[in-house]
Amino acid sequence: DAGITQSPRHKVTETGTPVTLRCHQTENHRYMYWYRQDPGHGLRLIHYSYGVKDTDKGEVSDGYSVSRSKTEDFLLTLESATSSQTSVYFCAISPDSPNQPQHFGDGTRLSIL
Amino acid sequence: QKEVEQNSGPLSVPEGAIASLNCTYSDRGSQSFFWYRQYSGKSPELIMSIYSNGDKEDGRFTAQLNKASQYVSLLIRDSQPSDSATYLCAVNLGGSYIPTFGRGTSLIVHP
């Protein structure tokens, strides 16, 4: 299995609080991604990174920010969580070559009350 | 709009039958195609990648790609109850290195 660790695995928090999710990889892959998965919507890309300090927005980036200060870590931050951000969040990685498949972490189940 | 379309299902097949899952995509210039399996409450796991027209076989799984008709399919032979899951199609539309995912097809294999 690809070495991807997401933390925390589960989190319950209140509206308006900041939340940071962490994705850690041991594969030294260049590309890292954050998705959210909701019933009826499938996997939707939030942000992605193509190198240290190189990030870009996905289709549902509003309300989220990311940082990548090291190859192995990609952080997703909800600055002020809202109930609409209750979801399952997946991190994925893919190697340097383009058009290679992604491998996913185990996910974080986030509930915002 | 660039899209990847899948029938949400559920597709119900008896044990031992062939399950056929289909996916269509919007961009004729797409080059990379992937099938993932996702069990309930788990993360997606890669089943197959396919890049060229035709069939690609891996055990009980066969991926079929037809770029002219813009569809990719997944056949599962000798379906087992353990194959019951949601199957996600992903396409690097127009040569993008970021895949676009379909919403998935739920497969139920009943004994």
Side-chain angles (χ1 to χ4, degrees):
Chain A
D1 290 343
I4 310 169
T5 303
Q6 290 188 232
S7 59
R9 293 292 317 281
H10 302 271
K11 187 173 182 66
V12 180
T13 190
E14 294 184 346
T15 300
T17 60
V19 177
T20 295
L21 308 183
R22 181 184 184 232
C23 179
H24 178 79
Q25 60 142 331
T26 58
E27 305 296 320
N28 200 36
H29 283 351
R30 177 181 178 188
Y31 298 104
M32 299 185 75
Y33 314 79
W34 277 108
Y35 291 90
R36 61 178 290 175
Q37 188 173 40
D38 306 286
H41 290 279
L43 280 166
R44 292 184 291 175
L45 182 65
I46 305 171
H47 283 279
Y48 64 97
S49 170
Y50 45 96
V52 173
K53 299 189 186 303
D54 292 324
T55 65
D56 206 348
K57 296 179 180 180
E59 64 175 301
V60 291
S61 60
D62 287 349
Y64 301 94
S65 62
V66 291
S67 65
R68 191 171 180 194
S69 59
K70 299 184 291 184
T71 298
E72 57 266 35
D73 288 326
F74 192 32
L75 303 181
L76 177 70
T77 297
L78 291 66
E79 300 289 348
S80 178
T82 68
S83 58
S84 65
Q85 294 175 311
T86 292
S87 187
V88 179
Y89 291 84
F90 289 105
C91 173
I93 64 174
S94 62
D96 291 1
S97 301
N99 300 320
Q100 294 301 305
Q102 297 174 321
H103 296 278
F104 287 82
D106 290 335
T108 295
R109 186 172 297 274
L110 178 63
S111 297
I112 301 164
L113 306 178
Chain B
Q1 185 175 353
K2 296 188 174 181
E3 293 182 335
V4 176
E5 299 284 349
Q6 295 181 256
N7 188 318
S8 62
L11 173 66
S12 182
V13 301
E15 184 174 358
I18 296 175
S20 179
L21 305 162
N22 299 312
C23 173
T24 60
Y25 59 94
S26 60
D27 195 315
R28 188 177 291 272
S30 302
Q31 298 296 323
S32 305
F33 308 85
F34 311 98
W35 282 101
Y36 292 83
R37 177 176 62 199
Q38 186 175 24
Y39 292 113
S40 180
K42 302 296 185 181
S43 61
E45 56 178 328
L46 180 71
I47 299 176
M48 294 187 72
S49 307
I50 187 167
Y51 302 95
S52 303
N53 274 330
D55 294 359
K56 179 180 179 182
E57 185 174 320
D58 184 359
R60 295 187 296 112
F61 299 97
T62 298
Q64 299 176 318
L65 175 60
N66 184 322
K67 291 186 179 181
S69 299
Q70 296 176 227
Y71 79 80
V72 56
S73 61
L74 180 70
L75 302 179
I76 307 174
R77 290 182 300 280
D78 189 24
S79 296
Q80 301 297 309
S82 59
D83 294 325
S84 298
T86 297
Y87 289 80
L88 304 173
C89 171
V91 180
N92 287 30
L93 292 172
S96 168
Y97 65 83
I98 307 293
T100 299
F101 283 82
R103 296 184 181 184
T105 298
S106 174
L107 172 67
I108 298 172
V109 181
H110 53 86

